[in-house]
Amino acid sequence: MRAEIIAIGSEILLGQIINSNAQFLSQELALLGIDCLFHTVVGDNPDRIKAAMSIAVERSDIIITTGGLGSTSDDLSLEAIAAFFNEPLVLRQEALQDIKRYFESRQIAMPISNEKQALLPKQALIIKNLAGTAPGMFWEINKKTIISFPGVPKEMKEMWSLEVKPLLLKKSKEKLIYKELKFYGIPEALLGEKVQDLLDLESPTVAPLASGMECKLRIACKSENIEYSKKEIQRIEDIIRQRVGEFIYGENEETLESVVIKHFKEKNLSLSLAESCTGGLISKRLTDIAGSSAVFKLGLVVYSNESKINILGVKAKTLKEKGAVSEECAIEMAQNALIKGQSDYALSVTGIAGPDGGSKEKPVGTIFMALIGKTSNIIKKFNFNEMKRNDIRWRISQEALNWLRRI
Amino acid sequence: MRAEIIAIGSEILLGQIINSNAQFLSQELALLGIDCLFHTVVGDNPDRIKAAMSIAVERSDIIITTGGLGSTSDDLSLEAIAAFFNEPLVLRQEALQDIKRYFESRQIAMPISNEKQALLPKQALIIKNLAGTAPGMFWEINKKTIISFPGVPKEMKEMWSLEVKPLLLKKSKEKLIYKELKFYGIPEALLGEKVQDLLDLESPTVAPLASGMECKLRIACKSENIEYSKKEIQRIEDIIRQRVGEFIYGENEETLESVVIKHFKEKNLSLSLAESCTGGLISKRLTDIAGSSAVFKLGLVVYSNESKINILGVKAKTLKEKGAVSEECAIEMAQNALIKGQSDYALSVTGIAGPDGGSKEKPVGTIFMALIGKTSNIIKKFNFNEMKRNDIRWRISQEALNWLRRI
């Protein structure tokens, strides 16, 4: 089965928003084993919507539209789609009641303009919208399946998961399942070389994906037999782990921070942080993880030299002689964070994120990190050249979390 | 002039990456006053690329393609585009030399497979790629302008800015300039009501845009006379400020955090933070801003009750009788942060971000915030119902920053 996605919305063509709905739906279609061969974006214009439909019906079985189901005069997706098929829109009582109920539960009278959202083709299946007012539709007509969603991502995703995906599951015999292996510390090009033969496989497929200084490999298998797919994916995973397993930090939804919290929890260990140039970013990433309070006790963002001395107990002498960006300062920061947080480990970061603050001996991107444990005491130094301030801060947090992961 | 964008790349159709190139190019085209009426995504397939070109030439003057200019066997954009126009590709010596030089500067021999990147239509203008190997092209053929970029965003953006945009500026007489007003604290629907008459204007245009709990209004004017455009935009801005100016926190690239830092700097004031449930997020947001060290002195992430007592000096009695999530605890946290940071102001946050930790009296989403100054001492309480953990944390940081902005 072939599908395509038509996003309806002038704001996308003006570059005001990005077409994230198409990405979500593409991923989901791939998981169902349905090929998605085209994305199109058109404006809120009846002629251009009809033109897009005209092209789509020539080449696709399933046509998914997003956007243009609102209550304003710009919203005319269903009108245009129905007109293309020469079918009228009718007032669907069930949809109208849903919309009325949505407003009643918020103690507002339903505006007249929302009535138009209950106008749908007579034979279309109504897809309820629990998070908004616009119902969607699942319309089988002229041997095509037309699925229309509102453009609001949250509403579309809920309607997809709760109602549309189950309908499509019935249509499609083959399923695609996949597993993602997440890497840190190996350049994308080198990873590609190490698994080049696997990237050329027809089934299962191994697809490399790089995003924001990390790489991942997605192993996918499409078949009617889920057990067979799982075995095949495991077989390929084992090969990959044998070759580059040391760089794999997690799978699927795991992040560096979630893996750190998981490891520390398993071993019943606690952690404190002393951050200077990262300004709270590492603390924030760790506390993004629900349940991190079992591990993370205290974070000190000692952004000024005074606070390093007053709060963390770094010696004024150290700051004067070695400077805040030094091995010695990093060690004192970590040692004091360990004591103040009464934790098993403490990590400190001090450095120059830029754009100002660099010098000849210590240019922008000079970073010292110290990791102190009950019996260990290690320093790392980094030089991040030619990177922007917030990229440097992000990269430091990645290195810090990867270090914590590998203790 | 009408343009459209064709992104070539199967990874977009699989949902592996999002089509950010189209968003960038759309914004840029809008600024040049060029209408972009369609986006299309097709896979690395010659027939489908030619089909997309066939549709595009019927309706657009300028066709911009991204992707498929690499050195692998999957990369066949130029081949397909040239074939559509029945024109041959020829080996362009200038392009070949550029590619060779790219490898020489990295002390690598040029792989044979990169030679194909120097095959372009004879009449096409070569667009140099300083950040990668694939040259692009600016090809005027059959009264159309075909512009082809590599898919790597960084390479595409540089080639656009340095070479392509200047070429298009010559073609287009009208320019579009705009100003964005950024709002916080007013619901999108209410803002829309207050400026409904302005949203209907033909010129200048006022477009509402909501993203992540904030709204903005973009005032744009398209004309050959930039001074006229600026005056018109100012005229509309004055009307908007008169109606809803209290909710405007900044313009264009400003963020809540950049405005906070700006205001504190202007008044030579300093700030400390005591964060519990936000885990360092507010400190991180403030320190995202270059130059924030003039304002931000100390952040304390007291994620555990012990650290609230030991580091911040919150009374054990307060925690026992009122709990960590209380007015009293928030005030003590802020008072102590003010002293320890030796700052003019201190803000504290304590609450339950979830998913666990809620109770009947204090459900998930119960937040207390205290703002202490030399002579002031204010508490705020929030209840964020039915929101997810990281949405609650983000929302708290937004409220905190907005509060700091309005001191």
Side-chain angles (χ1 to χ4, degrees):
Chain A
M1 273 193 299
R2 299 185 150 189
E4 68 177 87
I5 300 165
I6 302 175
I8 299 167
S10 304
E11 66 276 13
I12 307 176
L13 294 176
L14 291 167
Q16 289 171 354
I17 61 174
I18 200 167
N19 191 2
S20 62
N21 289 337
Q23 185 190 25
F24 171 82
L25 290 166
S26 295
Q27 290 169 349
E28 292 288 311
L29 288 167
L31 290 174
L32 294 175
I34 296 172
D35 289 324
C36 177
L37 297 177
F38 299 92
H39 292 173
T40 307
V41 182
V42 295
D44 301 289
N45 175 293
D47 291 330
R48 291 198 277 272
I49 295 171
K50 283 191 265 187
M53 290 297 300
S54 170
I55 292 162
V57 295
E58 293 297 311
R59 59 192 189 188
S60 303
D61 310 302
I62 298 169
I63 301 161
I64 302 177
T65 76
T66 63
L69 302 191
S71 60
T72 76
S73 51
D74 287 340
D75 294 290
L76 27 72
S77 296
L78 296 185
E79 208 176 291
I81 294 169
F84 171 75
F85 287 105
N86 278 319
E87 291 281 326
L89 295 179
V90 303
L91 184 65
R92 303 283 295 268
Q93 280 303 326
E94 180 195 336
L96 187 60
Q97 293 317 312
D98 285 340
I99 298 171
K100 282 186 173 165
R101 232 174 285 128
Y102 175 91
F103 284 100
E104 274 161 17
S105 73
R106 285 154 181 75
Q107 282 116 33
I108 313 172
M110 178 181 93
I112 296 287
S113 53
N114 286 82
E115 262 189 35
K116 69 178 275 192
Q117 297 179 305
L119 294 171
L120 295 112
K122 187 169 178 198
Q123 301 300 328
L125 188 65
I126 294 168
I127 303 297
K128 286 183 190 298
N129 184 350
L130 303 174
T133 59
M137 71 169 180
F138 189 101
W139 191 22
E140 310 211 61
I141 177 158
N142 294 7
K143 299 189 181 164
K144 302 293 171 186
T145 303
I146 317 299
I147 306 170
S148 292
F149 290 103
V152 179
K154 188 180 165 187
E155 294 174 26
M156 179 275 294
K157 289 175 182 177
E158 215 174 89
M159 291 160 80
W160 168 271
S161 306
L162 293 178
E163 296 194 58
V164 175
K165 182 171 171 179
L167 288 168
L168 287 174
L169 271 163
K170 289 190 219 158
K171 278 180 165 295
S172 159
K173 292 205 198 91
E174 280 192 325
K175 305 285 179 285
L176 186 139
I177 64 171
Y178 70 89
K179 187 172 193 178
E180 290 182 352
L181 301 176
K182 305 182 91 162
F183 294 78
Y184 189 79
I186 178 170
E188 185 192 351
L190 182 58
L191 179 60
E193 271 180 44
K194 297 265 182 195
V195 298
Q196 186 55 53
D197 54 324
L198 304 178
L199 300 183
D200 295 330
L201 289 176
E202 292 276 337
S203 178
T205 57
V206 180
L209 205 63
S211 78
M213 301 176 203
E214 290 183 21
C215 325
K216 57 186 183 183
L217 292 179
R218 181 195 256 206
I219 315 164
C221 189
K222 187 167 160 179
S223 137
E224 289 185 30
N225 183 338
I226 289 188
E227 283 314 307
Y228 168 79
S229 290
K230 284 184 184 175
K231 281 204 180 76
E232 280 290 279
I233 288 172
Q234 189 61 57
R235 179 174 69 79
I236 299 300
E237 178 185 347
D238 292 342
I239 297 171
I240 295 173
R241 283 192 180 275
Q242 202 177 16
R243 294 184 196 176
V244 281
E246 57 181 300
F247 299 105
I248 296 176
Y249 75 77
E251 300 175 358
N252 295 330
E253 295 313 311
E254 292 185 303
T255 56
L256 277 170
E257 50 264 53
S258 77
V259 170
V260 169
I261 296 294
K262 187 175 83 165
H263 286 181
F264 270 68
K265 254 192 183 181
E266 281 168 2
K267 295 179 163 47
N268 218 3
L269 294 169
S270 59
L271 175 68
S272 300
L273 294 179
E275 297 183 64
S276 184
C277 54
T278 40
L281 172 58
I282 309 174
S283 304
K284 184 262 179 194
R285 288 187 66 176
L286 286 170
T287 56
D288 273 341
I289 309 306
S292 49
S293 56
V295 169
F296 182 63
K297 301 299 172 191
L298 171 66
L300 297 156
V301 184
V302 285
Y303 213 58
S304 61
N305 280 1
E306 293 78 27
S307 58
K308 286 180 180 73
I309 297 172
N310 295 337
I311 307 305
L312 256 190
V314 174
K315 301 195 202 78
K317 185 175 186 233
T318 307
L319 286 179
K320 194 170 167 191
E321 291 177 7
K322 306 285 181 181
V325 181
S326 63
E327 224 180 86
E328 292 79 0
C329 182
I331 293 229
E332 284 183 44
M333 283 169 67
Q335 283 170 336
N336 285 299
L338 189 80
I339 295 168
K340 289 196 180 297
Q342 298 172 332
S343 52
D344 299 302
Y345 283 91
L347 180 124
S348 72
V349 180
T350 175
I352 306 164
D356 309 313
S359 63
K360 213 166 170 202
E361 308 89 29
K362 296 180 191 175
V364 166
T366 305
I367 312 292
F368 288 92
M369 223 183 271
L371 181 58
I372 310 279
K374 294 261 143 73
T375 56
S376 60
N377 189 336
I378 317 172
I379 281 276
K380 281 194 184 188
K381 183 185 181 200
F382 299 92
N383 289 303
F384 296 128
N385 299 321
E386 290 175 33
M387 281 172 69
K388 286 194 271 190
R389 174 189 176 84
N390 286 331
D391 289 340
I392 290 176
R393 279 156 48 102
W394 183 258
R395 180 69 187 275
I396 299 169
S397 70
Q398 292 277 82
E399 289 292 332
L401 291 169
N402 194 46
W403 196 8
L404 288 168
R405 167 183 83 83
R406 303 187 64 183
I407 297 179
Chain B
M1 276 194 298
R2 300 184 150 191
E4 67 176 89
I5 299 165
I6 302 175
I8 299 166
S10 304
E11 66 275 15
I12 307 177
L13 295 175
L14 289 168
Q16 286 170 358
I17 60 174
I18 202 168
N19 192 3
S20 63
N21 288 337
Q23 188 191 24
F24 171 81
L25 289 166
S26 296
Q27 291 170 346
E28 291 288 310
L29 288 166
L31 291 172
L32 292 176
I34 297 173
D35 289 326
C36 177
L37 297 177
F38 299 92
H39 291 173
T40 307
V41 182
V42 296
D44 302 289
N45 174 293
D47 292 331
R48 292 199 276 273
I49 295 170
K50 282 191 265 185
M53 289 300 298
S54 171
I55 293 162
V57 297
E58 294 297 312
R59 59 192 189 188
S60 304
D61 310 303
I62 298 169
I63 301 162
I64 302 177
T65 76
T66 64
L69 302 191
S71 61
T72 76
S73 51
D74 287 341
D75 295 290
L76 26 71
S77 296
L78 297 184
E79 209 176 290
I81 294 168
F84 171 76
F85 288 105
N86 278 319
E87 290 282 325
L89 295 180
V90 303
L91 185 67
R92 303 284 295 270
Q93 281 303 325
E94 180 197 336
L96 188 59
Q97 292 318 310
D98 284 339
I99 299 172
K100 282 184 174 166
R101 232 173 287 128
Y102 176 92
F103 284 100
E104 275 161 18
S105 74
R106 285 156 179 74
Q107 282 116 34
I108 313 172
M110 179 183 90
I112 296 286
S113 52
N114 287 83
E115 263 187 36
K116 69 179 273 192
Q117 296 179 307
L119 294 170
L120 294 113
K122 187 170 179 197
Q123 301 300 330
L125 187 64
I126 293 168
I127 303 296
K128 287 184 188 298
N129 183 350
L130 302 173
T133 58
M137 71 170 181
F138 190 100
W139 190 21
E140 310 211 62
I141 176 159
N142 294 6
K143 299 189 182 164
K144 304 291 171 184
T145 304
I146 317 297
I147 307 170
S148 293
F149 290 103
V152 180
K154 188 178 165 191
E155 295 174 26
M156 179 275 293
K157 289 175 183 177
E158 216 173 90
M159 291 160 78
W160 168 269
S161 305
L162 292 177
E163 295 193 60
V164 175
K165 183 172 172 177
L167 288 168
L168 287 174
L169 272 163
K170 289 191 218 157
K171 279 183 166 293
S172 160
K173 292 205 198 91
E174 282 191 324
K175 305 286 179 283
L176 188 139
I177 64 172
Y178 71 89
K179 186 172 194 179
E180 289 182 353
L181 302 176
K182 304 181 91 162
F183 293 79
Y184 189 79
I186 180 171
E188 184 191 353
L190 183 59
L191 179 60
E193 271 180 44
K194 298 265 181 192
V195 299
Q196 187 54 52
D197 55 325
L198 303 177
L199 299 183
D200 296 331
L201 289 174
E202 292 278 336
S203 179
T205 57
V206 179
L209 204 65
S211 78
M213 302 178 203
E214 289 185 23
C215 323
K216 56 185 183 182
L217 292 180
R218 179 194 257 208
I219 313 164
C221 190
K222 187 167 159 177
S223 137
E224 288 185 32
N225 182 337
I226 288 187
E227 282 316 308
Y228 169 79
S229 290
K230 285 184 181 174
K231 281 205 178 76
E232 281 289 280
I233 288 173
Q234 189 62 57
R235 179 175 70 79
I236 299 298
E237 178 183 348
D238 292 343
I239 297 172
I240 295 173
R241 284 191 179 275
Q242 203 178 13
R243 295 184 194 178
V244 281
E246 58 180 298
F247 299 106
I248 297 176
Y249 75 78
E251 299 175 0
N252 295 330
E253 297 312 313
E254 293 186 301
T255 56
L256 278 171
E257 49 265 50
S258 78
V259 170
V260 169
I261 295 294
K262 187 174 85 167
H263 287 183
F264 270 69
K265 253 192 181 178
E266 280 168 0
K267 298 181 159 48
N268 218 4
L269 295 169
S270 59
L271 175 69
S272 300
L273 294 179
E275 297 184 62
S276 184
C277 54
T278 40
L281 172 57
I282 309 173
S283 305
K284 183 262 177 195
R285 288 187 68 176
L286 287 169
T287 56
D288 273 341
I289 309 304
S292 50
S293 55
V295 169
F296 182 64
K297 302 298 170 189
L298 172 66
L300 296 154
V301 183
V302 285
Y303 212 59
S304 62
N305 281 2
E306 293 79 27
S307 59
K308 286 181 181 70
I309 296 172
N310 295 339
I311 307 305
L312 257 190
V314 172
K315 300 195 206 78
K317 186 176 184 228
T318 306
L319 285 179
K320 196 170 163 190
E321 292 177 5
K322 307 286 183 181
V325 180
S326 63
E327 224 181 86
E328 292 80 0
C329 182
I331 293 231
E332 284 184 41
M333 283 169 64
Q335 283 172 333
N336 284 300
L338 188 80
I339 297 169
K340 287 196 183 294
Q342 299 173 332
S343 52
D344 299 303
Y345 283 91
L347 181 126
S348 72
V349 181
T350 175
I352 306 165
D356 309 312
S359 65
K360 214 170 171 199
E361 308 89 28
K362 295 179 190 174
V364 166
T366 306
I367 312 294
F368 288 92
M369 225 183 267
L371 181 58
I372 310 277
K374 294 259 143 71
T375 56
S376 60
N377 191 332
I378 316 171
I379 281 276
K380 282 194 183 187
K381 184 184 181 200
F382 298 93
N383 288 302
F384 296 129
N385 299 320
E386 291 177 29
M387 280 171 71
K388 287 195 274 193
R389 177 190 176 83
N390 285 332
D391 291 340
I392 290 176
R393 280 156 48 101
W394 182 258
R395 180 71 188 274
I396 297 169
S397 71
Q398 292 277 82
E399 290 291 333
L401 290 169
N402 194 47
W403 196 8
L404 287 168
R405 169 182 82 84
R406 302 187 67 182
I407 295 179

